[in-house]
Amino acid sequence: GLNFIDLMVRQGNIDNPPKTPLVPGFECSGIVEALGDSVKGFEIGDRVMAFVNYNAWAEVVCTPVEFVYKIPDDMSFSEAAAFPMNFVTAYMMLFEVANLREGMSVLVHSAGGGVGQAVAQLCSTVPNVTVFGTASSFKHEAIKDSVTHLFDRNADYVQEVKRISTDGVDIVLDCLCGENTGKGLSLLKPLGTYILYGSSNMVTGETKSFFSFAKSWWQVEKVNPIKLYEENKVIAGFSLLNLLFKQNRGSLIKGVMDKLLNLYTNKKIKPVVDSLWALEEVKEAMQRIHDRGNIGKLILDVEKAPTPLVS
């Protein structure tokens, strides 16, 4: 699976970037080739998907058994590679952090991306949830059925949301950061929850730029705890990778994956795969995410031959 965090790793816009040379990637799907001595519950030949702490974009991947899950029989390998990061992130934010319930409203940015589509699908499993989404206008036709109210990502979405729902929304999911933090907080109803789960506005051109990084930080509205208390608002952060690899919550994630696979089996959710790319085409695949051209998930496929360039 190819995720926006991979672009941030490439540019060094993360805390403690690993030393090069490294193999990027945090999730994959494939077939079990070998097992550790004490591993139980899996056999050689099993179809599996897994979280990996780097090194997922490889022909052979090694990861602890607690991060590995069996793929349902009717799920393809490309769907399985699109599943763990996006759906676990969406589920944890909606149900574990923000306590989504019937009749609530949610604002999600990048509604056409992998997490955005997972959020929209999971919201549809709860009665009467209103989803406000922002996305590039060329995606609107393709994703309009998954979101209740869709706005252009460059529009003044604060005014658009307030026009429809005067007191705002219950949950804001922000993967952009920068100036959107203040806007998101301003849209929250009393007892509403704002969750920051990424900072894609910090990824700018081809190279890491300190100035773009600093600009994003300066645009973040300074949060005043007294104001949060007076307005009854909740502000939260969510990083799935830190939860898995730094805070040792693999068993919690396993429970979430069980629920998600149950929803998949019951045809309530289904990963949206944008496109498959050969490993040699990773530059072009990353550019597609960078330009926000994708609807759903981009997958790197080790068995795919590069597409010949057409003059």
Side-chain angles (χ1 to χ4, degrees):
L2 184 55
N3 295 285
F4 210 95
I5 183 79
D6 298 312
L7 275 69
M8 296 182 71
V9 168
R10 188 185 81 180
Q11 293 199 345
N13 285 342
I14 57 164
D15 192 27
N16 296 322
K19 304 238 178 338
T20 53
L22 84 142
V23 177
F26 297 101
E27 66 183 335
C28 62
S29 65
I31 296 167
V32 175
E33 288 201 4
L35 302 168
D37 293 340
S38 57
V39 170
K40 305 245 183 328
F42 292 95
E43 293 177 9
I44 289 171
D46 281 352
R47 301 167 73 246
V48 295
M49 54 186 148
F51 291 109
V52 195
N53 194 10
Y54 292 101
N55 297 309
W57 300 353
E59 291 167 327
V60 180
V61 173
C62 185
T63 194
V65 69
E66 68 170 323
F67 303 134
V68 183
Y69 313 91
K70 287 185 179 168
I71 300 176
D73 292 340
D74 55 347
M75 185 186 273
S76 67
F77 282 118
S78 56
E79 282 184 329
F83 195 80
M85 287 275 286
N86 292 163
F87 275 96
V88 171
T89 296
Y91 187 97
M92 293 286 292
M93 291 194 299
L94 290 172
F95 298 108
E96 301 279 334
V97 182
N99 196 14
L100 178 67
R101 298 183 302 286
E102 183 174 344
M104 281 186 159
S105 53
V106 179
L107 169 66
V108 60
H109 293 296
S110 302
V115 174
Q117 285 293 288
V119 165
Q121 290 185 25
L122 287 169
C123 284
S124 72
T125 67
V126 181
N128 303 322
V129 170
T130 305
V131 181
F132 297 91
T134 69
S136 305
S137 53
F138 71 88
K139 299 184 184 181
H140 286 203
E141 186 59 35
I143 66 171
K144 67 178 191 300
D145 294 339
S146 64
V147 179
T148 325
H149 303 287
L150 197 51
F151 313 121
D152 184 85
R153 63 183 292 264
N154 298 313
D156 182 359
Y157 61 85
V158 175
Q159 293 309 315
E160 294 286 338
V161 171
K162 286 194 166 164
R163 189 169 54 76
I164 297 163
S165 174
T166 47
D167 55 348
V169 297
D170 297 294
I171 300 168
V172 173
L173 305 178
D174 181 11
C175 58
L176 303 175
C177 199
E179 62 188 65
N180 293 281
T181 304
K183 290 179 180 177
L185 278 169
S186 74
L187 275 173
L188 279 187
K189 293 178 180 178
L191 302 181
T193 305
Y194 162 94
I195 306 174
L196 181 70
Y197 71 99
S199 44
S200 63
N201 278 348
M202 290 186 185
V203 174
T204 50
E206 285 302 300
T207 54
K208 178 181 175 182
S209 159
F210 172 77
F211 294 105
S212 67
F213 194 74
K215 177 167 169 260
S216 273
W217 272 116
W218 280 112
Q219 284 174 331
V220 176
E221 193 165 291
K222 304 299 176 274
V223 176
N224 180 342
I226 304 291
K227 200 172 166 199
L228 290 177
Y229 147 76
E230 289 172 345
E231 295 180 356
N232 280 304
K233 291 182 178 178
V234 179
I235 184 165
F238 183 76
S239 162
L240 176 56
L241 295 177
N242 284 351
L243 206 60
L244 280 168
F245 302 124
K246 290 184 180 172
Q247 294 152 350
N248 302 318
R249 293 297 189 274
S251 57
L252 170 67
I253 304 302
K254 185 152 188 33
V256 170
M257 275 293 274
D258 290 343
K259 291 174 187 167
L260 286 166
L261 289 171
N262 195 28
L263 285 169
Y264 176 86
T265 307
N266 290 318
K267 304 208 166 4
K268 296 279 202 294
I269 57 173
K270 186 176 174 65
V272 178
V273 175
D274 174 81
S275 46
L276 299 179
W277 302 75
L279 282 177
E280 295 89 339
E281 298 170 322
V282 66
K283 176 174 179 277
E284 293 79 6
M286 280 188 153
Q287 192 65 43
R288 182 166 171 80
I289 292 188
H290 182 281
D291 297 339
R292 294 179 164 85
N294 57 303
I295 294 172
K297 187 72 162 245
L298 277 77
I299 302 294
L300 296 173
D301 184 348
V302 294
E303 294 185 344
K304 185 179 183 298
T307 307
L309 292 175
V310 179
S311 58

